[in-house]
């Protein structure tokens, strides 16, 4: 019997992020506490730029955007906020980026967790920006998925290609 396997990936649906951003733009334009503050959120290349005339307002924009991401099923672990709001002229700016792919270092953390705590006979191989987990027993693979869901990694993971 051939080995069963699945892949562990860290992918974000770009369209869903775009939809969450558009919803945040709409809410910011309609909220009373943002009237006349030049508050905005938009794409700036591959990053998301949030700006307003006050540090608290920029953080409020970030909070709105995060709530929209959660409603669309996107893990906040895939959103990387770069530091604190920075003063640029009269505006405060804050950049955030969306992380995709599992780095080699993070893939090694996951593989180590599988080796140390997972069932015997389960193999984990790093393949580019994903991790392939294989075993002869499908039950063992499901046990690995349950184990990884219970762990709190500092990056988002999804399971795909289960066969």
């Amino acid at each position: 019997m051939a080995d069963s396997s699945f892949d562990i990936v860290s992918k974000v649906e770009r369209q869903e992020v775009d939809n969450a951003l558009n919803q945040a733009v709409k809410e910011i334009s309609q909220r009373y506490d943002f009237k006349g503050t030049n508050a905005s959120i938009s794409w700036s290349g591959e990053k998301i730029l949030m700006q307003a005339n006050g540090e608290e307002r920029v953080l409020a924009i970030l909070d709105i955007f995060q709530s929209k991401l959660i409603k669309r099923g996107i893990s906040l672990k895939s959103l990387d906020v770069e530091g604190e709001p920075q003063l640029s002229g009269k505006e405060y700016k804050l950049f955030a980026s969306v992380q995709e792919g599992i780095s080699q270092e993070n893939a090694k953390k996951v593989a180590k967790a599988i080796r140390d705590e997972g069932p015997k006979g389960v193999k984990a191989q790093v393949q580019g920006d994903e991790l392939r987990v294989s075993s002869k027993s499908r039950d063992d693979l499901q046990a690995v998925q349950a184990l990884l869901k219970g762990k709190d990694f500092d990056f988002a993971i999804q399971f795909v290609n289960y066969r």
Side-chain angles (χ1 to χ4, degrees):
M1 186 172 136
D3 282 2
S4 298
S5 68
F6 67 89
D7 295 334
I8 301 172
V9 296
S10 181
K11 294 202 184 316
V12 176
E13 194 75 34
R14 171 77 183 226
Q15 185 62 50
E16 289 296 321
V17 175
D18 216 26
N19 290 343
L21 187 105
N22 290 335
Q23 286 177 335
V25 166
K26 191 171 185 177
E27 182 172 328
I28 290 165
S29 70
Q30 292 175 348
R31 278 190 30 181
Y32 179 76
D33 56 337
F34 285 113
K35 294 282 187 235
T37 62
N38 294 334
S40 67
I41 180 171
S42 61
W43 286 105
S44 175
E46 285 296 307
K47 295 184 178 185
I48 298 164
L49 168 66
M50 293 160 270
Q51 58 187 16
N53 64 0
E55 190 173 350
E56 308 80 30
R57 288 208 170 87
V58 173
L59 294 173
I61 293 170
L62 175 63
D63 189 48
I64 291 168
F65 182 55
Q66 288 175 334
S67 71
K68 300 302 180 191
L69 287 174
I70 290 170
K71 284 182 183 174
R72 299 197 80 60
I74 298 171
S75 172
L76 292 183
K77 291 178 182 177
S78 60
L79 184 68
D80 182 31
V81 180
E82 298 170 8
E84 295 293 314
Q86 300 295 320
L87 184 61
S88 172
K90 293 182 178 180
E91 302 257 308
Y92 280 89
K93 294 184 177 184
L94 182 63
F95 287 96
S97 57
V98 178
Q99 303 242 307
E100 284 199 276
I102 299 177
S103 68
Q104 291 289 332
E105 180 183 312
N106 290 339
K108 287 178 183 174
K109 284 182 194 174
V110 175
K112 182 174 177 4
I114 292 170
R115 259 196 326 274
D116 293 349
E117 301 173 37
K120 299 290 179 229
V122 176
K123 296 185 286 288
Q125 299 171 306
V126 177
Q127 296 181 334
D129 62 350
E130 57 186 44
L131 188 71
R132 166 127 332 140
V133 179
S134 57
S135 173
K136 293 199 181 308
S137 165
R138 285 180 169 251
D139 291 342
D140 287 350
L141 292 180
Q142 289 174 342
V144 167
Q145 284 185 355
L147 167 78
L148 294 177
K149 285 178 183 173
K151 291 252 178 231
D152 186 32
F153 294 110
D154 55 350
F155 52 95
I157 59 173
Q158 295 90 28
F159 306 112
V160 295
N161 297 338
Y162 186 74
R163 52 180 173 274

